[in-house]
Amino acid sequence: MTGRIIVSDADVAEGAQALCDICPRMAEAYAQTGPLPLRRKPDGFAELLSAIVSQQVSVASAQAIWGRMKDAGLTGPRKIIWASDDDLRAVGLSRQKMRYARALAGAGINYPALRDAPTEEVIETLTAVPGIGVWTAEIYAMFSLGRADVFAPGDLALQEAARILYDLPERPKERELREMAEAWSPWKSVAARQLWAFYRVSKNREGVR
């Protein structure tokens, strides 16, 4: 089962209210951040290819590379398979990212079928592709598929936000944060939105940009 799908700001608001009702700390965070963003994205090959392009580079660099790929028409699986190393190098892909892009293009993923697949199956399908880790798969499930009950505990900003909000002695490890997130079910992805928003507010308050 896919569980609840987030499609609108009203869905996010419903989840935020539910979290405030069950957790005083979440209510405290919401009072500081205000309404949370929807953050829905398209699903499909191009969204995952863009995620691969964005790995280990700055936001500006990733946007520049992705812009060149779109200009060159290199955002579809067949175009990636047909492209030469020189073609991919020219738009800014490293040798490793060329390999990842081709692996994704050749994976034969049925993207429409993922919309109705259980979240565990979505994560398993995506992480079987070289270059796509659990974090990327969970973010895809959250924002491209709209899954309401998915979290990404490997995210450093979520870990740091949880440390601050819950007065923890140190930043929780991925496994610990995954266990904490069970308390936020069935609205884990809204909890993630809340923690990201709280992280930005907290860091701005501390003078960190």
Side-chain angles (χ1 to χ4, degrees), residues 33-133:
T33 65
L36 305 174
L38 177 59
R39 293 183 66 168
R40 278 301 303 265
K41 294 183 176 181
D43 67 335
F45 175 84
E47 191 64 29
L48 285 169
L49 181 61
S50 176
I52 288 172
V53 168
S54 300
Q55 291 173 0
Q56 298 180 322
V57 297
S58 69
V59 173
S61 293
Q63 290 175 341
I65 294 169
W66 188 243
R68 290 194 292 271
M69 292 182 72
K70 289 196 293 185
D71 290 344
L74 293 172
T75 59
R78 285 182 294 178
K79 292 294 184 67
I80 292 294
I81 291 172
W82 295 338
S84 67
D85 283 0
D86 287 343
D87 292 333
L88 298 178
R89 192 178 299 111
V91 295
L93 292 189
S94 65
R95 183 170 298 278
Q96 184 181 58
K97 288 185 180 179
M98 290 181 203
R99 181 168 68 85
Y100 292 163
R102 287 176 172 139
L104 179 63
I109 295 172
N110 183 340
Y111 293 101
L114 290 184
R115 297 170 189 168
D116 299 316
T119 297
E120 295 76 11
E121 182 180 328
V122 172
I123 303 300
E124 183 179 350
T125 298
L126 297 184
T127 56
V129 180
I132 298 181

Side-chain angles (χ1 to χ4, degrees), residues 3 5 10 13 18 21 30 34 43-44 53 57 75 78 86 95 120 150-151 179 186 195 201 204:
I5 302 297
D21 290 343
Y30 189 78
D43 67 335
V53 168
V57 297
T75 59
R78 285 182 294 178
D86 287 343
R95 183 170 298 278
E120 295 76 11
V150 178
F151 198 72
E179 291 173 355
L195 288 172
V201 168
N204 286 341

Side-chain angles (χ1 to χ4, degrees), residues 134 138 151 153 173-182:
V134 173
E138 288 170 336
F151 198 72
K173 300 291 192 294
E174 181 174 349
R175 182 175 178 178
E176 182 182 355
L177 187 53
R178 190 177 295 279
E179 291 173 355
M180 286 180 63
E182 288 304 313

